[in-house]
Amino acid sequence: MPAWIFVFIKSAILLFVVVTAFAYAMLAERKIMGWMQLRPGPNRVGPWGLMQPAADAAKLILKEDLAPRTADPLLYRLAPFISLLTAFSVYAVIPFGASPAGIWSIGNVNAGVLFLLAIMSLGVYGISLGGWASGSKYPLLGSVRSTAQMISYELSMGLSFAGVLLVAGTTSLDGIVHAQVGLWFFIPELVAFVIYVITAVAETNRAPFDLVEAETELVAGFHTEYSGLRFGLFFIAEYVNMLTISCIATLLFLGGWDAPFGWTALPGVAWFVVKVAAFMFFYMWLRATLPRIRYDRLMAFGWKVLLPVATLNVIVTAVVIAVRG
Amino acid sequence: MAEGKQLYNVGAILRGLSITFGFMFKKKPTIQYPSVRKQHAPRFHGLHELRRYEDGKERCIGCELCSSACPANAITVIGAENAPADRRSPGERYAARYEIDELRCIFCGMCEEACPTDAIVLTPRFEMSDFRRGSFVYAKDRLLVPPQGGTGAPPDERPGGIPADLGSVAEMKSTTDPATGYDATYYGAALKTERKGLTG
């Protein structure tokens, strides 16, 4: 059997798994937000509302696909696909379990972290092009904000990765997880972990950093003009990006598929899923708790606090490693 | 740097997170409405009903007092003489047409108070959703208790009853507890009704 068939089958399975995970992450968010706001959350479609994602999908598919007259016809239609494509292609290098034979990852790239950063940076194109191509003021404001926000927080995020890479001594995601066995990196690299969590929320444009959508001031931000399935694609991209960010947090800081305290009763993949789910819960928890930060404070925080601290962390880590040899 | 203090107040953020986490496990006050229904107040003002006597005759005598009392001008009554062969009500007249525009109605219950024969009462029914505004003009076909439907609940079947003297209004005091519904108590006549300016 040629290798590409194997990759193709794994990609198809992964696509299915990620889309399902998206659907239930969305349901989980609505449920958890509901509970935190003393509401039961969606519970009418199927038992405990478990069929709600299917109902939502049917609704979005059946809705009319509108485009404003002033919109750029090609880019307006292309932008959601750019978002979705970058969101999904990250999964090409993410390993989900210990894989000597490469079972649990599609491609085991030795520069996995760099690939992740590169593809995630492309995600801003979907948002900024979508907002610009809408030919309307609020999407434009949203996309300008997103570009500024994602670029400024990406620097600190990259620097938080650098600390981990220095400690692990490799850029392969597989290698980083192996280097964490015994001591997960969120303990020695606590500063980097905190910076990563903050920048991750900003990078995925989630509350309290959801300035890009900011419904109180920008209607719905960059996707104001989008409807139906194209809006759905942006929506999928946002949640898949959240999943990606949670996967990266798990791989770089929370020990990947390494079982804590040697509890190997659960297989590695299950531990991976548990950690990703915990991080996703944290995301939703944050959203239900914190109000949106004002835009100038967001920028000031990113440039004047996060970036210096992240730089300092890299320097200190490098010095400590150099001194200890 | 006064504004910075709030932004970097990690303690406040952690406290907020603990509060929302605690709220997740609190009992939700939601009532799953169509399947679970809240107990309504005993004197809840809902959809109107035109009652009948035991023998099936209509109570309404077409006097139009309800229409005059209505502050929202929601009631239209056109009375007619009873034909001796086919008496619709025990009195001389009956309501040939009786219409209430439920969209105009403010459910105050003045019609009920004004009615000399206790013909018009407010029932606790409140689910009146419809697709057209015209559908909210309820005529006798929907207001009148059907011939086999008994007499309809009299307005007196209430805790404390209504004051025998219809010229005075009872001061109502109610305690609200969503779990057990409402408990209305009658504390005796306190106010004299003023009907000034309320012309039909």
Side-chain angles (χ1 to χ4, degrees):
Chain A
M1 192 166 66
W4 66 268
I5 292 185
F6 194 49
V7 169
F8 187 81
I9 292 170
K10 277 199 292 192
S11 305
I13 294 172
L14 188 69
L15 206 62
F16 176 77
V17 168
V18 170
V19 169
T20 313
F22 145 72
Y24 283 94
M26 189 195 66
L27 179 67
E29 167 150 50
R30 288 167 68 182
K31 279 288 207 190
I32 289 167
M33 291 264 294
W35 294 334
M36 288 182 174
Q37 296 163 356
L38 291 184
R39 296 182 286 116
N43 63 353
R44 311 307 293 184
V45 193
W48 307 289
L50 282 178
M51 294 310 287
Q52 186 70 40
D56 287 342
K59 186 195 82 171
L60 282 177
I61 289 169
L62 293 174
K63 282 213 165 182
E64 191 180 353
D65 182 26
L66 293 166
R69 206 185 316 132
T70 47
D72 184 302
L74 178 65
L75 285 182
Y76 179 79
R77 290 181 169 77
L78 201 60
F81 293 99
I82 298 177
S83 271
L84 198 68
L85 190 74
T86 53
F88 275 126
S89 41
V90 172
Y91 286 88
V93 297
I94 289 182
F96 295 94
S99 50
I103 295 287
W104 291 107
S105 62
I106 292 176
N108 193 0
V109 188
N110 58 5
V113 176
L114 303 182
F115 180 85
L116 283 181
L117 272 175
I119 296 292
M120 273 160 52
S121 310
L122 290 178
V124 74
Y125 280 105
I127 291 177
S128 58
L129 283 179
W132 177 78
S134 295
S136 139
K137 60 190 168 197
Y138 291 119
L140 182 65
L141 285 169
S143 70
V144 168
R145 281 184 177 190
S146 84
T147 315
Q149 176 180 329
M150 289 175 85
I151 287 174
S152 34
Y153 275 75
E154 211 160 60
L155 289 171
S156 314
M157 183 187 245
L159 286 174
S160 75
F161 283 10
V164 171
L165 298 186
L166 283 171
V167 178
T170 171
T171 53
S172 143
L173 289 165
D174 224 30
I176 290 173
V177 173
H178 284 305
Q180 288 183 74
V181 174
L183 183 64
W184 297 355
F185 281 166
F186 79 93
I187 298 168
E189 286 291 310
L190 185 63
V191 180
F193 181 59
V194 171
I195 290 172
Y196 175 78
V197 170
I198 296 172
T199 53
V201 177
E203 196 73 357
T204 45
N205 303 317
R206 297 269 310 169
F209 300 119
D210 59 341
L211 277 298
V212 176
E213 291 167 34
E215 64 273 2
T216 40
E217 32 193 302
L218 294 184
V219 189
F222 69 97
H223 60 59
T224 304
E225 303 291 353
Y226 283 91
S227 61
L229 199 54
R230 279 176 218 283
F231 166 74
L233 294 184
F234 272 130
F235 202 60
I236 296 175
E238 180 185 331
Y239 277 80
V240 171
N241 278 331
M242 281 169 67
L243 282 168
T244 310
I245 289 287
S246 308
C247 286
I248 296 172
T250 308
L251 286 170
L252 293 190
F253 295 100
L254 301 177
W257 52 83
D258 183 33
F261 313 116
W263 289 341
T264 43
L266 279 177
V269 181
W271 278 116
F272 189 88
V273 170
V274 166
K275 289 169 187 176
V276 169
F279 202 83
M280 290 290 282
F281 171 77
F282 179 70
Y283 250 116
M284 296 156 188
W285 188 13
L286 267 188
R287 183 178 169 196
T289 307
L290 297 180
R292 188 178 300 122
I293 285 179
R294 214 171 65 195
Y295 189 63
D296 59 324
R297 290 185 187 175
L298 172 90
M299 282 322 217
F301 183 61
W303 288 101
K304 294 179 187 167
V305 180
L306 280 186
L307 191 59
V309 172
T311 316
L312 208 65
N313 178 57
V314 173
I315 295 170
V316 169
T317 310
V319 167
V320 167
I321 287 172
V323 167
R324 293 170 86 192
Chain B
M1 214 45 200
E3 63 181 34
K5 271 185 190 167
Q6 292 167 343
L7 189 56
Y8 310 130
N9 192 342
V10 179
I13 291 176
L14 293 180
R15 201 155 60 243
L17 285 172
S18 74
I19 288 172
T20 41
F21 194 79
F23 265 59
M24 229 171 63
F25 305 103
K26 279 199 174 167
K27 196 177 177 299
K28 311 290 176 281
T30 310
I31 296 171
Q32 300 288 341
Y33 159 59
S35 42
V36 182
R37 278 150 195 275
K38 198 174 109 178
Q39 195 188 340
H40 61 76
R43 302 184 72 160
F44 183 87
H45 284 173
L47 183 64
H48 305 76
E49 186 175 65
L50 280 172
R51 298 173 61 226
R52 289 177 190 273
Y53 287 108
E54 296 288 343
D55 60 357
K57 287 213 169 58
E58 296 170 20
R59 275 176 175 261
C60 179
I61 51 170
C63 69
E64 299 181 30
L65 274 176
C66 49
S67 174
S68 334
C70 182
N73 272 342
I75 308 182
T76 309
V77 187
I78 295 176
E81 294 284 335
N82 265 319
D86 175 28
R87 295 187 71 81
R88 310 284 288 274
S89 75
E92 286 173 21
R93 290 163 67 79
Y94 75 103
R97 278 179 66 192
Y98 194 104
E99 286 171 5
I100 299 181
D101 186 344
E102 300 289 353
L103 286 182
R104 294 201 67 156
C105 177
I106 58 170
F107 299 96
C108 62
M110 299 267 257
C111 46
E112 191 175 330
E113 278 181 45
C115 187
T117 58
D118 283 350
I120 183 90
V121 289
L122 295 174
T123 65
R125 290 194 287 272
F126 60 92
E127 290 149 317
M128 292 178 256
S129 311
D130 215 322
F131 292 99
R132 292 168 179 281
R133 287 181 162 266
S135 318
F136 287 94
V137 179
Y138 278 60
K140 275 177 88 174
D141 59 330
R142 285 190 285 177
L143 289 173
L144 193 62
V145 177
Q148 290 81 29
T151 63
D156 309 333
E157 273 190 4
R158 293 155 166 192
I162 59 169
D165 172 17
L166 284 174
S168 61
V169 161
E171 186 195 353
M172 307 297 295
K173 195 165 189 175
S174 54
T175 55
T176 53
D177 177 11
T180 55
Y182 297 88
D183 179 31
T185 333
Y186 166 57
Y187 280 104
L191 287 163
K192 197 79 179 167
T193 46
E194 297 270 343
R195 290 275 160 80
K196 270 185 288 187
L198 297 175
T199 51

